[in-house]
Amino acid sequence: MSVLGSYLHRHPRLRLAGLLSAPLLWLVVAYLGALAVLLVSAFWTVNGFTGEVVREFSLQNFRTLLSEEVYRAVTLRSLGVAAAVTGICVVIATPMAFFMAKVASSKYRNWLVIAILTPLWASYLVKAYAWRILLANGGPIDTLFGGPGNGPGYGLFATIIVLSYLWLPYMILPIYAGLERLPDSMLEASADLGARAGRTFRAVVLPILIPSVIAGSIFTFSLSLGDYITVQIVGGKTQMIGNLVYANIGAANNLPFAAAIATIPVLIMVIYLVAVRRSGALEEL
Amino acid sequence: MTESSTPAIRLTGLRKSFGHVDAVAGVDLEIADGEFFSMLGPSGSGKTTVLRMIAGFELPTAGTVELGGKDVTRLAPFERDVNTVFQDYALFPHLTVRENVEYGLKVRKVGRKERRERAEQALSSVRLESFGDRKPAAMSGGQRQRVALARALVNRPKVLLLDEPLGALDLKLREQMQVELKAIQREVGITFVFVTHDQDEALTMSDRVAVFEAGRIVQVGTPEDVYEKPASPFVAGFVGTSNVFAGETARTLFGRAGTFSVRPEKINLRKAQETNGVVAEVIYAGPVTRYVVDLDAGARVVVVEQNRRTGTAALSELRGQRVRLDWLDEHVIEIPQLKENAHAE
């Protein structure tokens, strides 16, 4: 054993290879491999009579995606939902994170972090169904607004609300982490130089927080963009990209077309990540 | 320091408690206009808390803070005519050096042109005129320190507060900045309140020094006062190295009861017929050599001698040998004993 140990000590590259091979294998095969298969199968088609996958290169799926109005509409709707969810999360998360990081006492702060984290341990489905009950016709939210039918009901708006609720912690945590790293002396310096709280927040806190906000938005945006369960549960007739993928895997039995649709959010996220890479947000993850 | 009747800063009965702990336990102090005033003390002695109460970052539990004769105790930091240089500099990382310096002027709605001019002037007064377009991250510690100084001075405050601003710099740079700070203070003529735990810093730069112990000021005076006439054993021990003699030892050495101190550099060590101590340790420290000597009278004292003639070889030979220590009567400091209740609280 010690012979092997000292041999590895003399050959750091070999040691590194041994250490990394398992996780690298997982990354390459399970993750990148699956993505590659997805990309390749997007160029296949399905025989209309037999339902068999035809493994021949064809651009037909993408032609359909680009030419038919419904796919553009669904893509734009999904983008809109993802953007709205991200916006709502930023607006709610920033003051909450600020309170946690800069106002609350350290004991209180730990409780708040736990309070933010515990919903993440509960099942996604349970939370979505909880909102289904809340939003039901004649349910608690309707009652709050004065009677059945007065609340938002199921639909696009409900989807946005529930997704914002679900992904809020993913926005709070990076902003909280960013604020924790922001020294109090920075805020004091701003006040010392004559700035009131609002000014300090706009001129000092927000600019420094931008990378954290972007880091959070990568979560809220991509999670919203790919979601299909919440939409099914509270979305009414609303369809998002994820629903189309799901429908083509199941009912339509057209896996290649599902793969082609699935490349849309992947492409959008790649564009988004490239765009924000320069902001330094990726180091915040 | 006497020309102005209203002091730049007047603290009256200032207290600050955090829970059950009295960080500041009653401070009365007047700092004159244009004075370079240092608050010296070990960490936790309350000096920084006093500074933060002058700046407005902490509200006192009791007592008042007056700036230029005006009671500002309850005013927010942005309503006070003071500026602060922070220990960690607290430069805004997303702004350039020039934007950092202009920040205070911009907040106070100074016109663009005047802002530019004053920022340039402030940057050149700290010798950073060509660094305006850099981000703080691209600067060294000493440079950031000077940016922080420029950012505070550009607002022409009545009082500049400095919270251990040299603490993060290395020794060479610190000594250089000490000289520079003093020069800048003389040039702009405003009151500097300088918090430090470094007695060298306090002694070299200040017009007056307040020594803090456990939330109280135990002595205020010129550097010479504080060093040559310490008001308590604590001051004698904290400011400079000192040999404090008390009890039986004091009676043997000085012929009367009391607490006495003799600074290490005032003691003369020589070989003689009649000896009164044994050299326990010889420490060579470049320009000086420190001797630790056990006196027969029952005290361990430190003696510092300039290495003007001595060679290193001769030094270590002294270890273990009997020597004669003596000093001039005028260098014996009699330290007043504090009243017993001074520390109790």
PDB file of all heavy atoms in Angstrom, chain B residues 51-83:
ATOM      1  N   LEU B  51     -15.320  56.595  18.364  1.00  0.00           N
ATOM      2  CA  LEU B  51     -15.205  57.161  17.018  1.00  0.00           C
ATOM      3  C   LEU B  51     -16.505  56.980  16.241  1.00  0.00           C
ATOM      4  O   LEU B  51     -16.981  57.892  15.561  1.00  0.00           O
ATOM      5  CB  LEU B  51     -14.052  56.486  16.265  1.00  0.00           C
ATOM      6  CG  LEU B  51     -13.652  57.166  14.958  1.00  0.00           C
ATOM      7  CD1 LEU B  51     -12.657  58.270  15.257  1.00  0.00           C
ATOM      8  CD2 LEU B  51     -13.063  56.190  13.975  1.00  0.00           C
ATOM      9  N   ARG B  52     -17.088  55.767  16.361  1.00  0.00           N
ATOM     10  CA  ARG B  52     -18.310  55.474  15.613  1.00  0.00           C
ATOM     11  C   ARG B  52     -19.492  56.299  16.132  1.00  0.00           C
ATOM     12  O   ARG B  52     -20.417  56.584  15.383  1.00  0.00           O
ATOM     13  CB  ARG B  52     -18.623  53.981  15.683  1.00  0.00           C
ATOM     14  CG  ARG B  52     -17.594  53.144  14.895  1.00  0.00           C
ATOM     15  CD  ARG B  52     -17.807  51.655  15.082  1.00  0.00           C
ATOM     16  NE  ARG B  52     -19.136  51.240  14.686  1.00  0.00           N
ATOM     17  CZ  ARG B  52     -19.518  51.019  13.429  1.00  0.00           C
ATOM     18  NH1 ARG B  52     -18.655  51.161  12.452  1.00  0.00           N
ATOM     19  NH2 ARG B  52     -20.735  50.654  13.161  1.00  0.00           N
ATOM     20  N   MET B  53     -19.449  56.671  17.409  1.00  0.00           N
ATOM     21  CA  MET B  53     -20.510  57.532  17.925  1.00  0.00           C
ATOM     22  C   MET B  53     -20.331  58.968  17.436  1.00  0.00           C
ATOM     23  O   MET B  53     -21.303  59.683  17.213  1.00  0.00           O
ATOM     24  CB  MET B  53     -20.556  57.469  19.455  1.00  0.00           C
ATOM     25  CG  MET B  53     -21.141  56.141  19.946  1.00  0.00           C
ATOM     26  SD  MET B  53     -21.540  56.124  21.696  1.00  0.00           S
ATOM     27  CE  MET B  53     -19.944  55.844  22.421  1.00  0.00           C
ATOM     28  N   ILE B  54     -19.050  59.378  17.235  1.00  0.00           N
ATOM     29  CA  ILE B  54     -18.827  60.714  16.681  1.00  0.00           C
ATOM     30  C   ILE B  54     -19.309  60.753  15.226  1.00  0.00           C
ATOM     31  O   ILE B  54     -19.919  61.708  14.780  1.00  0.00           O
ATOM     32  CB  ILE B  54     -17.329  61.097  16.769  1.00  0.00           C
ATOM     33  CG1 ILE B  54     -16.861  61.114  18.223  1.00  0.00           C
ATOM     34  CG2 ILE B  54     -17.084  62.459  16.126  1.00  0.00           C
ATOM     35  CD1 ILE B  54     -15.370  61.318  18.400  1.00  0.00           C
ATOM     36  N   ALA B  55     -19.061  59.644  14.485  1.00  0.00           N
ATOM     37  CA  ALA B  55     -19.466  59.591  13.077  1.00  0.00           C
ATOM     38  C   ALA B  55     -20.972  59.429  12.939  1.00  0.00           C
ATOM     39  O   ALA B  55     -21.540  59.805  11.927  1.00  0.00           O
ATOM     40  CB  ALA B  55     -18.755  58.431  12.380  1.00  0.00           C
ATOM     41  N   GLY B  56     -21.603  58.843  13.956  1.00  0.00           N
ATOM     42  CA  GLY B  56     -23.047  58.631  13.903  1.00  0.00           C
ATOM     43  C   GLY B  56     -23.448  57.217  13.550  1.00  0.00           C
ATOM     44  O   GLY B  56     -24.614  56.948  13.317  1.00  0.00           O
ATOM     45  N   PHE B  57     -22.490  56.293  13.493  1.00  0.00           N
ATOM     46  CA  PHE B  57     -22.828  54.912  13.159  1.00  0.00           C
ATOM     47  C   PHE B  57     -23.425  54.180  14.357  1.00  0.00           C
ATOM     48  O   PHE B  57     -24.117  53.182  14.204  1.00  0.00           O
ATOM     49  CB  PHE B  57     -21.599  54.137  12.661  1.00  0.00           C
ATOM     50  CG  PHE B  57     -20.935  54.774  11.493  1.00  0.00           C
ATOM     51  CD1 PHE B  57     -19.553  54.888  11.437  1.00  0.00           C
ATOM     52  CD2 PHE B  57     -21.690  55.272  10.444  1.00  0.00           C
ATOM     53  CE1 PHE B  57     -18.940  55.488  10.355  1.00  0.00           C
ATOM     54  CE2 PHE B  57     -21.083  55.868   9.353  1.00  0.00           C
ATOM     55  CZ  PHE B  57     -19.709  55.977   9.318  1.00  0.00           C
ATOM     56  N   GLU B  58     -23.119  54.650  15.549  1.00  0.00           N
ATOM     57  CA  GLU B  58     -23.725  54.086  16.754  1.00  0.00           C
ATOM     58  C   GLU B  58     -24.391  55.226  17.517  1.00  0.00           C
ATOM     59  O   GLU B  58     -23.865  56.332  17.565  1.00  0.00           O
ATOM     60  CB  GLU B  58     -22.668  53.468  17.680  1.00  0.00           C
ATOM     61  CG  GLU B  58     -21.715  52.500  17.044  1.00  0.00           C
ATOM     62  CD  GLU B  58     -22.280  51.097  16.916  1.00  0.00           C
ATOM     63  OE1 GLU B  58     -23.436  50.870  17.343  1.00  0.00           O
ATOM     64  OE2 GLU B  58     -21.574  50.247  16.358  1.00  0.00           O
ATOM     65  N   LEU B  59     -25.536  54.924  18.096  1.00  0.00           N
ATOM     66  CA  LEU B  59     -26.172  55.920  18.946  1.00  0.00           C
ATOM     67  C   LEU B  59     -25.742  55.652  20.379  1.00  0.00           C
ATOM     68  O   LEU B  59     -25.765  54.507  20.830  1.00  0.00           O
ATOM     69  CB  LEU B  59     -27.695  55.827  18.832  1.00  0.00           C
ATOM     70  CG  LEU B  59     -28.294  56.351  17.536  1.00  0.00           C
ATOM     71  CD1 LEU B  59     -29.799  56.170  17.545  1.00  0.00           C
ATOM     72  CD2 LEU B  59     -27.936  57.812  17.326  1.00  0.00           C
ATOM     73  N   PRO B  60     -25.341  56.704  21.108  1.00  0.00           N
ATOM     74  CA  PRO B  60     -24.912  56.502  22.486  1.00  0.00           C
ATOM     75  C   PRO B  60     -26.076  56.047  23.368  1.00  0.00           C
ATOM     76  O   PRO B  60     -27.226  56.421  23.122  1.00  0.00           O
ATOM     77  CB  PRO B  60     -24.399  57.875  22.926  1.00  0.00           C
ATOM     78  CG  PRO B  60     -24.573  58.782  21.792  1.00  0.00           C
ATOM     79  CD  PRO B  60     -25.254  58.083  20.665  1.00  0.00           C
ATOM     80  N   THR B  61     -25.756  55.234  24.372  1.00  0.00           N
ATOM     81  CA  THR B  61     -26.758  54.853  25.356  1.00  0.00           C
ATOM     82  C   THR B  61     -27.070  56.051  26.255  1.00  0.00           C
ATOM     83  O   THR B  61     -28.203  56.246  26.678  1.00  0.00           O
ATOM     84  CB  THR B  61     -26.239  53.687  26.213  1.00  0.00           C
ATOM     85  OG1 THR B  61     -25.748  52.685  25.324  1.00  0.00           O
ATOM     86  CG2 THR B  61     -27.317  53.109  27.097  1.00  0.00           C
ATOM     87  N   ALA B  62     -26.026  56.844  26.522  1.00  0.00           N
ATOM     88  CA  ALA B  62     -26.211  58.074  27.293  1.00  0.00           C
ATOM     89  C   ALA B  62     -25.119  59.046  26.904  1.00  0.00           C
ATOM     90  O   ALA B  62     -24.100  58.655  26.347  1.00  0.00           O
ATOM     91  CB  ALA B  62     -26.157  57.780  28.797  1.00  0.00           C
ATOM     92  N   GLY B  63     -25.357  60.323  27.201  1.00  0.00           N
ATOM     93  CA  GLY B  63     -24.343  61.328  26.921  1.00  0.00           C
ATOM     94  C   GLY B  63     -24.592  62.044  25.610  1.00  0.00           C
ATOM     95  O   GLY B  63     -25.509  61.707  24.865  1.00  0.00           O
ATOM     96  N   THR B  64     -23.764  63.044  25.335  1.00  0.00           N
ATOM     97  CA  THR B  64     -23.960  63.839  24.125  1.00  0.00           C
ATOM     98  C   THR B  64     -22.678  63.965  23.310  1.00  0.00           C
ATOM     99  O   THR B  64     -21.576  63.884  23.841  1.00  0.00           O
ATOM    100  CB  THR B  64     -24.445  65.269  24.448  1.00  0.00           C
ATOM    101  OG1 THR B  64     -23.480  65.858  25.318  1.00  0.00           O
ATOM    102  CG2 THR B  64     -25.806  65.266  25.095  1.00  0.00           C
ATOM    103  N   VAL B  65     -22.870  64.144  22.026  1.00  0.00           N
ATOM    104  CA  VAL B  65     -21.778  64.424  21.091  1.00  0.00           C
ATOM    105  C   VAL B  65     -22.041  65.804  20.497  1.00  0.00           C
ATOM    106  O   VAL B  65     -23.114  66.044  19.955  1.00  0.00           O
ATOM    107  CB  VAL B  65     -21.741  63.393  19.947  1.00  0.00           C
ATOM    108  CG1 VAL B  65     -20.626  63.720  18.964  1.00  0.00           C
ATOM    109  CG2 VAL B  65     -21.601  61.982  20.498  1.00  0.00           C
ATOM    110  N   GLU B  66     -21.077  66.715  20.647  1.00  0.00           N
ATOM    111  CA  GLU B  66     -21.214  68.025  20.021  1.00  0.00           C
ATOM    112  C   GLU B  66     -20.123  68.208  18.988  1.00  0.00           C
ATOM    113  O   GLU B  66     -18.960  67.881  19.235  1.00  0.00           O
ATOM    114  CB  GLU B  66     -21.073  69.138  21.072  1.00  0.00           C
ATOM    115  CG  GLU B  66     -22.318  69.365  21.901  1.00  0.00           C
ATOM    116  CD  GLU B  66     -22.027  70.342  23.028  1.00  0.00           C
ATOM    117  OE1 GLU B  66     -21.483  71.425  22.731  1.00  0.00           O
ATOM    118  OE2 GLU B  66     -22.319  70.007  24.187  1.00  0.00           O
ATOM    119  N   LEU B  67     -20.528  68.710  17.821  1.00  0.00           N
ATOM    120  CA  LEU B  67     -19.547  69.027  16.784  1.00  0.00           C
ATOM    121  C   LEU B  67     -19.610  70.534  16.550  1.00  0.00           C
ATOM    122  O   LEU B  67     -20.668  71.051  16.190  1.00  0.00           O
ATOM    123  CB  LEU B  67     -19.864  68.294  15.484  1.00  0.00           C
ATOM    124  CG  LEU B  67     -19.702  66.769  15.492  1.00  0.00           C
ATOM    125  CD1 LEU B  67     -20.187  66.176  14.191  1.00  0.00           C
ATOM    126  CD2 LEU B  67     -18.248  66.395  15.729  1.00  0.00           C
ATOM    127  N   GLY B  68     -18.490  71.210  16.780  1.00  0.00           N
ATOM    128  CA  GLY B  68     -18.456  72.660  16.605  1.00  0.00           C
ATOM    129  C   GLY B  68     -19.525  73.354  17.420  1.00  0.00           C
ATOM    130  O   GLY B  68     -20.134  74.313  16.958  1.00  0.00           O
ATOM    131  N   GLY B  69     -19.788  72.848  18.628  1.00  0.00           N
ATOM    132  CA  GLY B  69     -20.747  73.482  19.517  1.00  0.00           C
ATOM    133  C   GLY B  69     -22.193  73.076  19.282  1.00  0.00           C
ATOM    134  O   GLY B  69     -23.087  73.484  20.007  1.00  0.00           O
ATOM    135  N   LYS B  70     -22.422  72.241  18.247  1.00  0.00           N
ATOM    136  CA  LYS B  70     -23.804  71.854  17.924  1.00  0.00           C
ATOM    137  C   LYS B  70     -24.036  70.409  18.355  1.00  0.00           C
ATOM    138  O   LYS B  70     -23.227  69.536  18.079  1.00  0.00           O
ATOM    139  CB  LYS B  70     -23.998  71.997  16.409  1.00  0.00           C
ATOM    140  CG  LYS B  70     -25.408  71.758  15.937  1.00  0.00           C
ATOM    141  CD  LYS B  70     -25.464  71.968  14.401  1.00  0.00           C
ATOM    142  CE  LYS B  70     -26.574  71.132  13.808  1.00  0.00           C
ATOM    143  NZ  LYS B  70     -26.179  70.363  12.646  1.00  0.00           N
ATOM    144  N   ASP B  71     -25.149  70.199  19.050  1.00  0.00           N
ATOM    145  CA  ASP B  71     -25.453  68.854  19.541  1.00  0.00           C
ATOM    146  C   ASP B  71     -25.906  67.975  18.369  1.00  0.00           C
ATOM    147  O   ASP B  71     -26.926  68.240  17.734  1.00  0.00           O
ATOM    148  CB  ASP B  71     -26.556  68.947  20.604  1.00  0.00           C
ATOM    149  CG  ASP B  71     -26.826  67.589  21.250  1.00  0.00           C
ATOM    150  OD1 ASP B  71     -26.303  66.577  20.735  1.00  0.00           O
ATOM    151  OD2 ASP B  71     -27.536  67.550  22.268  1.00  0.00           O
ATOM    152  N   VAL B  72     -25.132  66.920  18.080  1.00  0.00           N
ATOM    153  CA  VAL B  72     -25.479  66.054  16.947  1.00  0.00           C
ATOM    154  C   VAL B  72     -25.774  64.630  17.415  1.00  0.00           C
ATOM    155  O   VAL B  72     -25.841  63.716  16.613  1.00  0.00           O
ATOM    156  CB  VAL B  72     -24.346  66.017  15.897  1.00  0.00           C
ATOM    157  CG1 VAL B  72     -24.106  67.395  15.315  1.00  0.00           C
ATOM    158  CG2 VAL B  72     -23.069  65.441  16.489  1.00  0.00           C
ATOM    159  N   THR B  73     -25.954  64.477  18.718  1.00  0.00           N
ATOM    160  CA  THR B  73     -26.081  63.135  19.295  1.00  0.00           C
ATOM    161  C   THR B  73     -27.073  62.255  18.549  1.00  0.00           C
ATOM    162  O   THR B  73     -26.824  61.082  18.331  1.00  0.00           O
ATOM    163  CB  THR B  73     -26.516  63.240  20.768  1.00  0.00           C
ATOM    164  OG1 THR B  73     -25.721  64.236  21.394  1.00  0.00           O
ATOM    165  CG2 THR B  73     -26.355  61.919  21.496  1.00  0.00           C
ATOM    166  N   ARG B  74     -28.203  62.840  18.157  1.00  0.00           N
ATOM    167  CA  ARG B  74     -29.266  62.027  17.551  1.00  0.00           C
ATOM    168  C   ARG B  74     -29.285  62.115  16.022  1.00  0.00           C
ATOM    169  O   ARG B  74     -30.216  61.614  15.400  1.00  0.00           O
ATOM    170  CB  ARG B  74     -30.625  62.457  18.096  1.00  0.00           C
ATOM    171  CG  ARG B  74     -30.775  62.268  19.591  1.00  0.00           C
ATOM    172  CD  ARG B  74     -31.179  60.840  19.920  1.00  0.00           C
ATOM    173  NE  ARG B  74     -30.416  60.347  21.056  1.00  0.00           N
ATOM    174  CZ  ARG B  74     -30.349  59.062  21.422  1.00  0.00           C
ATOM    175  NH1 ARG B  74     -30.973  58.151  20.727  1.00  0.00           N
ATOM    176  NH2 ARG B  74     -29.633  58.679  22.437  1.00  0.00           N
ATOM    177  N   LEU B  75     -28.314  62.800  15.441  1.00  0.00           N
ATOM    178  CA  LEU B  75     -28.336  62.970  13.984  1.00  0.00           C
ATOM    179  C   LEU B  75     -27.739  61.748  13.273  1.00  0.00           C
ATOM    180  O   LEU B  75     -26.875  61.061  13.802  1.00  0.00           O
ATOM    181  CB  LEU B  75     -27.549  64.218  13.573  1.00  0.00           C
ATOM    182  CG  LEU B  75     -28.137  65.568  14.004  1.00  0.00           C
ATOM    183  CD1 LEU B  75     -27.344  66.697  13.354  1.00  0.00           C
ATOM    184  CD2 LEU B  75     -29.602  65.676  13.622  1.00  0.00           C
ATOM    185  N   ALA B  76     -28.235  61.498  12.064  1.00  0.00           N
ATOM    186  CA  ALA B  76     -27.728  60.390  11.252  1.00  0.00           C
ATOM    187  C   ALA B  76     -26.365  60.766  10.679  1.00  0.00           C
ATOM    188  O   ALA B  76     -26.026  61.953  10.606  1.00  0.00           O
ATOM    189  CB  ALA B  76     -28.707  60.082  10.131  1.00  0.00           C
ATOM    190  N   PRO B  77     -25.576  59.762  10.264  1.00  0.00           N
ATOM    191  CA  PRO B  77     -24.239  60.047   9.719  1.00  0.00           C
ATOM    192  C   PRO B  77     -24.272  61.065   8.578  1.00  0.00           C
ATOM    193  O   PRO B  77     -23.391  61.927   8.501  1.00  0.00           O
ATOM    194  CB  PRO B  77     -23.765  58.692   9.207  1.00  0.00           C
ATOM    195  CG  PRO B  77     -24.526  57.687   9.978  1.00  0.00           C
ATOM    196  CD  PRO B  77     -25.838  58.323  10.337  1.00  0.00           C
ATOM    197  N   PHE B  78     -25.302  60.959   7.694  1.00  0.00           N
ATOM    198  CA  PHE B  78     -25.311  61.862   6.538  1.00  0.00           C
ATOM    199  C   PHE B  78     -25.680  63.283   6.900  1.00  0.00           C
ATOM    200  O   PHE B  78     -25.659  64.156   6.065  1.00  0.00           O
ATOM    201  CB  PHE B  78     -26.227  61.312   5.419  1.00  0.00           C
ATOM    202  CG  PHE B  78     -27.608  60.945   5.854  1.00  0.00           C
ATOM    203  CD1 PHE B  78     -28.577  61.916   6.015  1.00  0.00           C
ATOM    204  CD2 PHE B  78     -27.938  59.612   6.101  1.00  0.00           C
ATOM    205  CE1 PHE B  78     -29.857  61.576   6.412  1.00  0.00           C
ATOM    206  CE2 PHE B  78     -29.218  59.268   6.494  1.00  0.00           C
ATOM    207  CZ  PHE B  78     -30.182  60.256   6.659  1.00  0.00           C
ATOM    208  N   GLU B  79     -26.040  63.520   8.161  1.00  0.00           N
ATOM    209  CA  GLU B  79     -26.344  64.884   8.592  1.00  0.00           C
ATOM    210  C   GLU B  79     -25.192  65.515   9.365  1.00  0.00           C
ATOM    211  O   GLU B  79     -25.322  66.618   9.876  1.00  0.00           O
ATOM    212  CB  GLU B  79     -27.599  64.877   9.476  1.00  0.00           C
ATOM    213  CG  GLU B  79     -28.846  64.409   8.748  1.00  0.00           C
ATOM    214  CD  GLU B  79     -30.006  64.126   9.695  1.00  0.00           C
ATOM    215  OE1 GLU B  79     -29.820  63.329  10.642  1.00  0.00           O
ATOM    216  OE2 GLU B  79     -31.081  64.683   9.484  1.00  0.00           O
ATOM    217  N   ARG B  80     -24.075  64.803   9.458  1.00  0.00           N
ATOM    218  CA  ARG B  80     -22.956  65.320  10.258  1.00  0.00           C
ATOM    219  C   ARG B  80     -21.806  65.752   9.360  1.00  0.00           C
ATOM    220  O   ARG B  80     -21.519  65.101   8.370  1.00  0.00           O
ATOM    221  CB  ARG B  80     -22.444  64.240  11.209  1.00  0.00           C
ATOM    222  CG  ARG B  80     -23.515  63.737  12.137  1.00  0.00           C
ATOM    223  CD  ARG B  80     -22.936  62.774  13.140  1.00  0.00           C
ATOM    224  NE  ARG B  80     -24.014  62.227  13.954  1.00  0.00           N
ATOM    225  CZ  ARG B  80     -23.822  61.684  15.147  1.00  0.00           C
ATOM    226  NH1 ARG B  80     -22.609  61.604  15.659  1.00  0.00           N
ATOM    227  NH2 ARG B  80     -24.851  61.215  15.830  1.00  0.00           N
ATOM    228  N   ASP B  81     -21.170  66.834   9.771  1.00  0.00           N
ATOM    229  CA  ASP B  81     -20.078  67.373   8.979  1.00  0.00           C
ATOM    230  C   ASP B  81     -18.746  66.706   9.352  1.00  0.00           C
ATOM    231  O   ASP B  81     -17.785  67.361   9.706  1.00  0.00           O
ATOM    232  CB  ASP B  81     -19.996  68.893   9.185  1.00  0.00           C
ATOM    233  CG  ASP B  81     -19.206  69.553   8.074  1.00  0.00           C
ATOM    234  OD1 ASP B  81     -18.827  68.830   7.133  1.00  0.00           O
ATOM    235  OD2 ASP B  81     -18.963  70.759   8.161  1.00  0.00           O
ATOM    236  N   VAL B  82     -18.742  65.383   9.315  1.00  0.00           N
ATOM    237  CA  VAL B  82     -17.507  64.642   9.549  1.00  0.00           C
ATOM    238  C   VAL B  82     -17.380  63.591   8.447  1.00  0.00           C
ATOM    239  O   VAL B  82     -18.373  63.193   7.859  1.00  0.00           O
ATOM    240  CB  VAL B  82     -17.496  63.897  10.913  1.00  0.00           C
ATOM    241  CG1 VAL B  82     -17.606  64.872  12.050  1.00  0.00           C
ATOM    242  CG2 VAL B  82     -18.622  62.879  10.983  1.00  0.00           C
ATOM    243  N   ASN B  83     -16.171  63.181   8.168  1.00  0.00           N
ATOM    244  CA  ASN B  83     -15.980  62.067   7.245  1.00  0.00           C
ATOM    245  C   ASN B  83     -15.019  61.068   7.854  1.00  0.00           C
ATOM    246  O   ASN B  83     -14.223  61.405   8.724  1.00  0.00           O
ATOM    247  CB  ASN B  83     -15.472  62.563   5.892  1.00  0.00           C
ATOM    248  CG  ASN B  83     -16.575  63.184   5.058  1.00  0.00           C
ATOM    249  OD1 ASN B  83     -16.580  64.380   4.782  1.00  0.00           O
ATOM    250  ND2 ASN B  83     -17.549  62.372   4.699  1.00  0.00           N
TER     251      ASN B  83
END
